[in-house]
Amino acid sequence: MQQKHYILGINASPRKNGNTETLMAKILTGAKAQGATTETVHLRNLRIKQCLACEGCRVSRTCRLHIDDMQVLLVQLKAADGIVLGSPIHNYNISARMKIFIDRLYPFFSFNPENRREWHSLLPPRKKGLIYAVGENPNPKQAGVVLEAMRLPLETLGCEITGEFIAAGFFEKQAVLKDEALLEQAHNAGVNLVKSLI
Ligand SMILES: Cc1cc2nc3c(=O)[nH]c(=O)nc-3n(C[C@H](O)[C@H](O)[C@H](O)COP(=O)(O)O)c2cc1C
Protein backbone atom coordinates (compact mmCIF):
# COMPACT_ATOMS: atom_id res chain seq x y z
CA MET A 1 0.00 0.00 0.00
CA GLN A 2 1.28 3.46 -0.89
CA GLN A 3 2.15 5.61 2.11
CA LYS A 4 0.04 8.70 2.66
CA HIS A 5 1.61 11.95 1.57
CA TYR A 6 2.42 14.31 4.41
CA ILE A 7 1.62 17.98 3.84
CA LEU A 8 2.99 20.53 6.29
CA GLY A 9 1.40 23.99 6.42
CA ILE A 10 3.29 26.91 7.94
CA ASN A 11 1.04 29.81 8.96
CA ALA A 12 3.00 32.99 9.57
CA SER A 13 0.20 35.30 10.69
CA PRO A 14 0.39 36.72 14.20
CA ARG A 15 -3.45 36.81 14.24
CA LYS A 16 -5.30 33.81 15.63
CA ASN A 17 -8.22 32.87 13.32
CA GLY A 18 -6.97 35.38 10.79
CA ASN A 19 -7.32 35.15 7.03
CA THR A 20 -4.04 33.32 6.46
CA GLU A 21 -5.08 30.66 8.98
CA THR A 22 -8.56 30.35 7.45
CA LEU A 23 -7.16 29.82 3.95
CA MET A 24 -4.57 27.34 5.26
CA ALA A 25 -7.42 25.24 6.66
CA LYS A 26 -9.14 25.28 3.24
CA ILE A 27 -5.95 24.32 1.42
CA LEU A 28 -5.30 21.44 3.80
CA THR A 29 -8.91 20.25 3.49
CA GLY A 30 -8.23 19.95 -0.24
CA ALA A 31 -5.02 18.02 0.46
CA LYS A 32 -6.85 15.69 2.86
CA ALA A 33 -9.53 15.06 0.22
CA GLN A 34 -6.72 13.62 -1.90
CA GLY A 35 -5.76 11.24 0.92
CA ALA A 36 -2.88 13.21 2.42
CA THR A 37 -2.03 13.53 6.09
CA THR A 38 -1.82 17.19 7.03
CA GLU A 39 -0.43 19.27 9.84
CA THR A 40 -0.51 23.01 10.48
CA VAL A 41 2.20 24.85 12.35
CA HIS A 42 1.28 28.32 13.61
CA LEU A 43 4.56 30.19 13.90
CA ARG A 44 2.99 32.58 16.42
CA ASN A 45 2.80 29.67 18.92
CA LEU A 46 6.45 28.67 18.54
CA ARG A 47 9.62 30.00 20.05
CA ILE A 48 11.93 30.60 17.09
CA LYS A 49 14.79 33.00 17.63
CA GLN A 50 16.27 34.94 14.77
CA CYS A 51 19.40 33.78 12.95
CA LEU A 52 22.49 35.55 14.24
CA ALA A 53 24.54 34.67 11.15
CA CYS A 54 27.23 32.91 13.18
CA GLU A 55 27.43 30.37 10.31
CA GLY A 56 28.04 27.57 12.82
CA CYS A 57 25.37 25.44 11.13
CA ARG A 58 27.62 25.17 8.08
CA VAL A 59 29.78 22.80 10.09
CA SER A 60 27.37 21.31 12.62
CA ARG A 61 24.44 21.02 10.12
CA THR A 62 22.18 22.30 12.86
CA CYS A 63 21.79 25.46 14.91
CA ARG A 64 23.69 25.02 18.15
CA LEU A 65 23.15 28.65 19.19
CA HIS A 66 19.38 28.49 19.49
CA ILE A 67 17.92 25.33 20.98
CA ASP A 68 14.31 26.26 20.24
CA ASP A 69 11.25 25.05 18.33
CA MET A 70 13.03 25.31 14.98
CA GLN A 71 14.92 22.10 15.80
CA VAL A 72 11.67 20.09 15.57
CA LEU A 73 10.41 22.08 12.61
CA LEU A 74 13.52 21.21 10.59
CA VAL A 75 12.76 17.51 11.16
CA GLN A 76 9.11 18.03 10.11
CA LEU A 77 10.22 19.87 6.96
CA LYS A 78 12.57 17.01 6.03
CA ALA A 79 9.70 14.54 6.44
CA ALA A 80 7.10 16.57 4.53
CA ASP A 81 6.28 15.67 0.92
CA GLY A 82 4.56 18.99 0.41
CA ILE A 83 5.16 22.32 2.13
CA VAL A 84 2.57 25.12 2.22
CA LEU A 85 3.78 28.58 3.23
CA GLY A 86 1.11 31.17 4.05
CA SER A 87 1.83 34.72 5.11
CA PRO A 88 -0.09 37.93 5.62
CA ILE A 89 1.29 40.80 3.57
CA HIS A 90 3.08 43.15 5.93
CA ASN A 91 4.60 46.21 4.30
CA TYR A 92 4.71 44.66 0.80
CA ASN A 93 6.50 41.62 2.18
CA ILE A 94 6.18 38.47 4.27
CA SER A 95 5.51 38.79 8.00
CA ALA A 96 8.45 39.06 10.36
CA ARG A 97 7.72 35.56 11.67
CA MET A 98 7.95 34.08 8.18
CA LYS A 99 11.25 35.87 7.58
CA ILE A 100 12.75 34.55 10.80
CA PHE A 101 11.56 31.04 9.91
CA ILE A 102 13.06 31.23 6.41
CA ASP A 103 16.42 32.51 7.68
CA ARG A 104 16.56 29.58 10.09
CA LEU A 105 16.45 27.17 7.11
CA TYR A 106 20.17 27.86 6.70
CA PRO A 107 21.21 24.43 8.09
CA PHE A 108 19.72 22.95 4.88
CA PHE A 109 22.54 24.57 2.88
CA SER A 110 25.73 22.57 2.43
CA PHE A 111 28.51 24.89 1.28
CA ASN A 112 31.70 23.83 -0.44
CA PRO A 113 34.44 24.68 2.11
CA GLU A 114 36.80 25.57 -0.78
CA ASN A 115 34.35 27.94 -2.41
CA ARG A 116 31.46 29.40 -0.46
CA ARG A 117 29.63 30.34 -3.65
CA GLU A 118 29.06 26.63 -4.31
CA TRP A 119 26.48 24.77 -2.31
CA HIS A 120 23.84 22.09 -2.49
CA SER A 121 20.58 21.57 -0.62
CA LEU A 122 20.33 19.10 2.25
CA LEU A 123 16.55 19.21 2.09
CA PRO A 124 15.56 15.80 0.66
CA PRO A 125 14.61 16.06 -3.05
CA ARG A 126 11.23 15.86 -4.81
CA LYS A 127 9.35 18.07 -2.36
CA LYS A 128 6.58 20.25 -3.73
CA GLY A 129 5.57 23.65 -2.45
CA LEU A 130 2.55 25.91 -2.42
CA ILE A 131 2.74 29.57 -1.38
CA TYR A 132 0.09 32.22 -0.80
CA ALA A 133 -0.35 35.57 0.87
CA VAL A 134 -3.25 37.65 2.17
CA GLY A 135 -3.41 41.44 2.00
CA GLU A 136 -5.88 44.19 2.75
CA ASN A 137 -5.32 46.26 -0.36
CA PRO A 138 -7.19 45.02 -3.47
CA ASN A 139 -4.50 46.50 -5.74
CA PRO A 140 -2.09 43.63 -6.56
CA LYS A 141 0.81 46.13 -6.62
CA GLN A 142 0.36 46.52 -2.84
CA ALA A 143 1.35 42.88 -2.43
CA GLY A 144 4.92 43.94 -3.20
CA VAL A 145 7.48 41.13 -3.11
CA VAL A 146 5.58 38.79 -0.81
CA LEU A 147 5.41 35.80 -3.18
CA GLU A 148 9.02 36.13 -4.32
CA ALA A 149 10.12 36.24 -0.68
CA MET A 150 8.71 32.74 -0.17
CA ARG A 151 9.18 31.27 -3.64
CA LEU A 152 12.88 32.00 -4.07
CA PRO A 153 14.07 30.43 -0.79
CA LEU A 154 11.96 27.29 -1.32
CA GLU A 155 13.13 26.89 -4.91
CA THR A 156 16.71 27.47 -3.85
CA LEU A 157 16.38 24.48 -1.53
CA GLY A 158 15.10 22.35 -4.42
CA CYS A 159 11.40 22.48 -3.59
CA GLU A 160 9.31 22.86 -6.75
CA ILE A 161 6.44 25.36 -6.41
CA THR A 162 3.25 23.86 -7.83
CA GLY A 163 0.96 26.77 -7.04
CA GLU A 164 0.86 30.30 -5.70
CA PHE A 165 -1.75 32.98 -5.18
CA ILE A 166 -2.50 36.27 -3.48
CA ALA A 167 -5.79 36.85 -1.67
CA ALA A 168 -6.18 40.62 -1.99
CA GLY A 169 -8.73 42.85 -0.29
CA PHE A 170 -9.21 41.25 3.13
CA PHE A 171 -8.75 42.82 6.53
CA GLU A 172 -11.19 41.63 9.23
CA LYS A 173 -10.47 38.21 10.67
CA GLN A 174 -12.00 35.47 8.52
CA ALA A 175 -13.16 37.98 5.88
CA VAL A 176 -12.02 35.45 3.27
CA LEU A 177 -14.95 33.21 4.27
CA LYS A 178 -17.24 35.56 2.31
CA ASP A 179 -15.42 34.86 -0.96
CA GLU A 180 -16.62 31.51 -2.30
CA ALA A 181 -14.40 31.65 -5.39
CA LEU A 182 -11.31 32.23 -3.27
CA LEU A 183 -12.22 29.36 -0.93
CA GLU A 184 -12.57 27.07 -3.93
CA GLN A 185 -9.22 28.29 -5.27
CA ALA A 186 -7.59 27.47 -1.94
CA HIS A 187 -9.21 24.03 -1.77
CA ASN A 188 -8.13 23.25 -5.34
CA ALA A 189 -4.59 24.42 -4.64
CA GLY A 190 -4.42 21.81 -1.86
CA VAL A 191 -5.84 19.14 -4.17
CA ASN A 192 -3.34 20.00 -6.90
CA LEU A 193 -0.41 19.99 -4.50
CA VAL A 194 -1.09 16.37 -3.57
CA LYS A 195 -1.84 15.41 -7.18
CA SER A 196 1.56 16.77 -8.18
CA LEU A 197 3.16 14.24 -5.80
CA ILE A 198 1.43 11.21 -7.30
C1 LIG B 1 2.02 45.75 9.99
C2 LIG B 1 1.04 45.49 8.85
C3 LIG B 1 1.41 45.81 7.58
C4 LIG B 1 0.53 45.57 6.51
N1 LIG B 1 0.93 45.83 5.24
C5 LIG B 1 0.11 45.53 4.19
C6 LIG B 1 0.54 45.74 2.84
O1 LIG B 1 1.65 46.14 2.56
N2 LIG B 1 -0.33 45.42 1.83
C7 LIG B 1 -1.59 44.92 2.07
O2 LIG B 1 -2.33 44.64 1.11
N3 LIG B 1 -2.01 44.71 3.35
C8 LIG B 1 -1.20 44.98 4.41
N4 LIG B 1 -1.62 44.75 5.71
C9 LIG B 1 -2.98 44.16 5.96
C10 LIG B 1 -2.94 42.63 6.19
O3 LIG B 1 -2.18 41.98 5.23
C11 LIG B 1 -4.37 42.05 6.16
O4 LIG B 1 -5.07 42.58 7.26
C12 LIG B 1 -4.44 40.54 6.20
O5 LIG B 1 -5.81 40.13 6.27
C13 LIG B 1 -3.70 39.95 7.36
O6 LIG B 1 -3.82 38.54 7.36
P1 LIG B 1 -4.25 37.78 8.69
O7 LIG B 1 -5.72 38.02 8.86
O8 LIG B 1 -3.94 36.36 8.43
O9 LIG B 1 -3.43 38.33 9.80
C14 LIG B 1 -0.76 45.03 6.79
C15 LIG B 1 -1.13 44.73 8.10
C16 LIG B 1 -0.24 44.96 9.14
C17 LIG B 1 -0.65 44.60 10.55
Side-chain angles (χ1 to χ4, degrees), residues 17-156:
N17 296 324
N19 293 303
T20 313
E21 185 170 335
T22 307
L23 286 178
M24 182 66 80
K26 287 286 161 199
I27 289 168
L28 295 185
T29 302
K32 268 191 213 138
Q34 284 298 306
T37 302
T38 68
E39 186 171 5
T40 308
V41 169
H42 304 286
L43 293 181
R44 67 169 185 275
N45 294 337
L46 302 188
R47 213 175 112 264
I48 300 178
K49 293 188 193 155
Q50 75 179 61
C51 173
L52 294 181
C54 72
E55 309 247 341
C57 62
R58 282 178 176 231
V59 181
S60 60
R61 304 278 200 233
T62 186
C63 181
R64 295 238 160 98
L65 205 59
H66 298 320
I67 308 301
D68 58 14
D69 292 328
M70 196 64 193
Q71 310 289 341
V72 175
L73 204 39
L74 289 175
V75 175
Q76 288 173 289
L77 287 160
K78 270 190 181 173
D81 301 296
I83 299 168
V84 184
L85 298 186
S87 180
I89 302 170
H90 283 176
N91 291 303
Y92 315 98
N93 213 319
I94 49 177
S95 69
R97 278 176 176 77
M98 181 60 88
K99 181 64 167 68
I100 288 174
F101 161 77
I102 287 174
D103 285 349
R104 290 288 302 279
L105 298 177
Y106 211 44
F108 285 143
F109 286 85
S110 174
F111 292 93
N112 177 351
E114 314 288 312
N115 177 2
R116 59 172 283 147
R117 303 278 174 267
E118 285 176 13
W119 52 268
H120 67 270
S121 173
L122 295 174
L123 192 67
R126 289 179 291 283
K127 291 186 194 299
K128 307 283 179 166
L130 167 63
I131 56 173
Y132 70 96
V134 189
E136 179 178 5
N137 200 306
N139 179 350
K141 274 197 177 163
Q142 300 298 318
V145 298
V146 71
L147 288 179
E148 284 89 336
M150 293 185 278
R151 187 194 317 118
L152 295 174
L154 276 190
E155 284 182 342
T156 299

